[in-house]
């Protein structure tokens, strides 16, 4: 029974800090000093102070007054403008990101085309004329200048001549900076201060660390192009070094010789790598780009060969009668050639015959009614611009047509003498020619009025 009895005596003790929810809260008067209480708000009730109520009232009055002064149409227009600004800001951010992504994608696409040999920029139509022609002379070049090369940053020129001298020039100021003079052959100091025979070929590495020089001896000399300090002698050929070229972006050197062989060298180790055989006559010219390939001209064997070095194979292209003496790659899939039959030929890697040919490209020799010999070629790499030289007193510029199937004459630049070597500056603004009174490999004919000089031609774009 006691379980059901209600105790009416003592009231249960309560915590003083606990609030009685049933008790009404007494609001303080303005004159009374009040204590601050931290009262937790329930989930269903919002408790606001008098200051909050005053603020809310003022804010409500502000919006009401604003709404009173603004019509519904004006409000829609204002909100629409705000929305449009937000959209424009988002679009600008998106456009910047899209531009960045597009540039990266375009760069990767161009790099892929260059690596696969399919990249080509159409610039030939922009060249309409030439302006200034400068003639650079030096005491080290009293004889015919045979070869020239340009640094990758277009700051320096290097030239070699039959009298064994090498000169470094500034392409910007056209001043001679330093030289490597001819020296008499000495057993004790062989090739430590210069060359003792005619210079026939030059090649400069992409980072200007190595200058490779070939002469009428069977050795290749490696020099520091900045100080002309001798680095190494590469031995292996058995005859004159007619041509040298570096594989782009590497220190791999390819050499072509009158001993009918092509050799591969690694200048990182300063060592011989391998020999490529196939030509039946002196290898007169060689060229290479980024791929592990090289194209060569075989002189009197009337053939051109594309060497696929990793595959240890070669592609053979048979030319016309006569000697094929010069060859240049336009891109990885296209090259041009010329020789003593006067024909300028355009080739595709996958075609056995020329895709285009210009017979007697530099005219006819009046003394014997024979086509004038094409003695030098240059190509602005990965574009459609090609230059050719002879001894007719002119350098000619050509345009390689669409799909590399045509050659079109663009302009003629007067230069007197044998054009033994040609090179474009990397930006295409200049054409440099090594000019002399006779051919670089012999004295079959002499142009007595010609000056042995380096010719710098300023090209004008439209």
């Amino acid at each position: 029974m006691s379980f059901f009895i209600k105790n009416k005596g003592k009231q249960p003790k309560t915590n003083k800090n606990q609030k009685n929810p049933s008790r009404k809260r007494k609001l303080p008067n303005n004159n009374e000093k009040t204590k601050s209480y931290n009262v937790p708000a329930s989930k269903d009730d919002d408790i606001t102070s008098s200051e909050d109520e005053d603020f809310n009232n003022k804010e409500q009055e502000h919006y009401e007054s604003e709404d009173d002064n603004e019509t519904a149409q004006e409000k829609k227009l204002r909100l629409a403008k705000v929305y449009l600004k937000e959209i424009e800001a988002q679009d600008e951010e998106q456009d910047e990101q899209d531009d960045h992504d597009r540039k990266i994608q375009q760069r990767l696409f161009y790099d892929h085309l260059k690596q696969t040999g399919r990249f080509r920029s159409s610039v030939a139509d922009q060249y309409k004329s030439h302006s200034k022609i400068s003639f650079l002379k030096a005491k080290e070049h009293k004889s015919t200048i045979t070869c020239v090369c340009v640094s990758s940053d277009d700051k320096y020129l290097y030239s070699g001549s039959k009298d064994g001298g090498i000169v470094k020039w500034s392409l910007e100021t056209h001043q001679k900076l330093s030289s490597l003079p001819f020296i008499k052959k000495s057993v004790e100091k062989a090739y430590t201060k210069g060359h003792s025979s005619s210079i026939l070929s030059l090649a400069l590495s992409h980072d200007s660390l190595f200058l490779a020089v070939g002469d009428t001896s069977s050795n290749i000399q490696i020099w520091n192009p900045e100080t002309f300090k001798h680095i190494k002698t590469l031995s292996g050929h058995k005859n004159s070094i007619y041509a040298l070229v570096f594989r782009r972006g590497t220190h791999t050197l390819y050499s072509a010789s009158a001993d009918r062989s092509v050799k591969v060298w690694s200048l990182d180790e300063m060592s011989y790598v391998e020999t490529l055989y196939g030509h039946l006559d002196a290898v007169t010219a060689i060229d290479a780009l980024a791929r592990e390939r090289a194209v060569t001209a075989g002189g009197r064997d009337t053939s051109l060969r594309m060497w696929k070095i990793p595959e240890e194979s070669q592609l053979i292209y048979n030319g016309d009668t006569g000697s094929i003496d010069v060859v240049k790659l336009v891109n990885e899939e296209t090259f041009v050639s010329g020789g003593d039959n006067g024909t300028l030929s355009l080739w595709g890697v996958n075609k056995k015959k020329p895709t285009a040919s210009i017979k007697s490209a530099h005219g006819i020799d009046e003394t014997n009614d024979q086509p004038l010999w094409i003695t030098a070629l240059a190509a602005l790499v990965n574009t459609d611009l090609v230059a050719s030289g002879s001894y007719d007193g002119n350098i000619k510029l050509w345009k390689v047509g669409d799909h590399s199937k045509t050659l079109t004459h663009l302009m003629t630049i007067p230069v007197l003498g044998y054009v033994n070597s040609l090179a474009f500056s990397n930006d295409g603004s200049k054409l440099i020619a090594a000019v002399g009174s006779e051919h670089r490999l012999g004295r079959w004919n002499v142009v007595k009025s010609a000056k042995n000089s380096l010719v710098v031609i300023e090209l004008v774009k439209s």
Side-chain angles (χ1 to χ4, degrees):
M1 293 296 294
S2 61
F3 181 80
F4 297 97
I5 295 175
K6 194 173 184 179
N7 189 1
K8 295 181 180 180
K10 296 181 180 180
Q11 296 292 331
K13 294 182 180 180
T14 59
N15 189 354
K16 294 181 180 180
N17 294 328
Q18 184 177 355
K19 298 184 180 182
N20 189 351
S22 63
R23 184 180 299 171
K24 293 183 179 180
R25 181 179 177 185
K26 182 179 179 182
L27 297 175
N29 295 326
N30 293 334
N31 296 329
E32 292 183 1
K33 293 182 179 179
T34 61
K35 296 181 180 180
S36 60
Y37 295 93
N38 294 327
V39 182
S42 70
K43 296 181 180 179
D44 299 328
D45 299 331
D46 291 332
I47 301 175
T48 58
S49 64
S50 59
E51 289 85 356
D52 292 337
E53 292 176 356
D54 293 339
F55 176 78
N56 291 335
N57 291 334
K58 291 179 180 179
E59 190 174 12
Q60 184 67 23
E61 291 175 359
H62 171 72
Y63 284 122
E64 288 176 357
S65 61
E66 191 177 80
D67 291 340
D68 292 339
N69 297 328
E70 186 178 38
T71 64
Q73 188 67 23
E74 290 174 343
K75 184 176 181 180
K76 288 181 180 179
L77 182 61
R78 176 173 57 83
L79 294 176
K81 289 181 178 178
V82 172
Y83 182 63
L84 287 175
K85 288 182 179 179
E86 292 178 356
I87 292 177
E88 289 175 358
Q90 292 175 0
D91 287 344
E92 288 178 359
E93 294 178 359
Q94 187 63 37
D95 289 343
E96 291 178 359
Q97 183 64 34
D98 290 344
D99 289 340
H100 179 69
D101 294 342
R102 193 180 300 110
K103 288 179 180 178
I104 293 176
Q105 185 178 5
Q106 189 176 22
R107 177 65 182 273
L108 292 174
F109 178 68
Y110 285 156
D111 289 344
H112 172 71
L113 290 180
K114 289 179 181 179
Q115 290 176 1
T116 56
R118 292 181 293 169
F119 176 78
R120 194 185 77 170
S121 176
S122 298
V123 301
D125 289 332
Q126 300 176 14
Y127 291 87
K128 299 299 182 183
S129 63
H130 65 278
S131 57
K132 184 179 179 182
I133 299 179
S134 302
F135 296 88
L136 312 184
K137 299 179 181 180
K139 63 180 181 180
E140 291 83 3
H141 291 338
K142 294 178 182 178
S143 235
T144 294
I145 299 179
T146 59
C147 48
V148 63
C149 63
V150 185
S151 63
S152 59
D153 57 6
D154 288 337
K155 290 184 178 180
Y156 306 109
L157 293 174
Y158 294 86
S159 58
S161 64
K162 279 190 174 183
D163 48 11
I166 299 172
V167 178
K168 179 182 179 180
W169 309 83
S170 169
L171 186 55
E172 297 173 350
T173 64
H174 298 171
Q175 298 296 317
K176 185 180 80 170
L177 301 177
S178 58
S179 64
L180 195 63
F182 170 83
I183 62 167
K184 291 182 179 181
K185 191 173 183 179
S186 172
V187 177
E188 296 179 356
K189 298 181 179 180
Y191 298 116
T192 58
K193 294 183 180 179
H195 287 254
S196 57
S197 57
S198 298
I199 308 297
L200 298 179
S201 54
L202 294 173
L204 184 66
S205 63
H206 69 285
D207 51 8
S208 296
L209 287 181
F210 303 111
L211 177 66
V213 183
D215 56 22
T216 53
S217 73
S218 59
N219 296 322
I220 301 169
Q221 304 303 326
I222 308 300
W223 303 88
N224 182 324
E226 183 65 28
T227 62
F228 277 135
K229 180 180 179 180
H230 186 257
I231 298 175
K232 184 72 175 179
T233 298
L234 302 178
S235 302
H237 282 293
K238 297 178 181 179
N239 210 328
S240 300
I241 312 299
Y242 280 168
L244 293 167
V245 67
F246 279 95
R247 180 187 167 200
R248 286 204 163 195
T250 73
H251 292 151
T252 299
L253 178 68
Y254 303 128
S255 60
S257 171
D259 64 6
R260 300 181 294 178
S261 71
V262 176
K263 290 188 183 295
V264 183
W265 313 83
S266 173
L267 295 198
D268 289 325
E269 290 82 20
M270 289 296 164
S271 62
Y272 160 80
V273 178
E274 61 179 314
T275 302
L276 309 176
Y277 292 106
H279 280 294
L280 303 178
D281 194 35
V283 186
T284 54
I286 190 168
D287 199 19
L289 294 179
R291 282 186 184 178
E292 204 167 348
R293 292 182 177 185
V295 62
T296 54
R300 290 285 169 187
D301 73 1
T302 66
S303 74
L304 296 158
R305 296 179 187 243
M306 178 68 73
W307 304 88
K308 297 183 177 182
I309 298 172
E311 294 90 343
E312 297 183 352
S313 64
Q314 55 184 287
L315 301 175
I316 303 174
Y317 310 88
N318 293 314
D320 295 331
T321 57
S323 176
I324 302 179
D325 296 313
V326 285
V327 63
K328 277 292 178 181
L329 284 164
V330 180
N331 53 47
E332 296 283 9
E333 300 293 326
T334 310
F335 56 94
V336 289
S337 68
D340 66 358
N341 64 355
T343 301
L344 178 64
S345 298
L346 179 67
W347 303 79
V349 170
N350 299 318
K351 301 288 184 180
K352 291 185 178 181
K353 295 182 179 181
T355 57
S357 293
I358 306 294
K359 294 186 179 297
S360 303
H362 280 262
I364 302 295
D365 190 343
E366 295 179 355
T367 61
N368 55 17
D369 291 330
Q370 296 295 317
L372 289 168
W373 196 345
I374 295 179
T375 57
L377 289 173
L380 189 57
V381 177
N382 292 325
T383 71
D384 56 349
L385 184 63
V386 172
S388 64
S390 183
Y391 57 97
D392 63 332
N394 296 309
I395 294 174
K396 293 188 176 182
L397 266 58
W398 308 84
K399 175 187 175 181
V400 179
D402 294 337
H403 307 292
S404 301
K405 292 184 178 180
T406 60
L407 280 170
T408 306
H409 178 250
L410 288 176
M411 73 173 80
T412 299
I413 303 170
V415 174
L416 185 62
Y418 271 89
V419 180
N420 287 313
S421 181
L422 286 169
F424 283 102
S425 61
N426 292 281
D427 61 2
S429 63
K430 298 178 179 67
L431 177 63
I432 301 95
V435 179
S437 59
E438 59 193 32
H439 192 274
R440 71 186 187 102
L441 299 180
R443 300 194 66 184
W444 300 282
N445 186 21
V446 176
V447 182
K448 295 181 179 179
S449 57
K451 298 178 180 179
N452 299 318
S453 60
L454 206 62
V455 181
V456 180
I457 305 162
E458 306 281 344
L459 299 176
V460 178
K461 292 183 180 181
S462 60

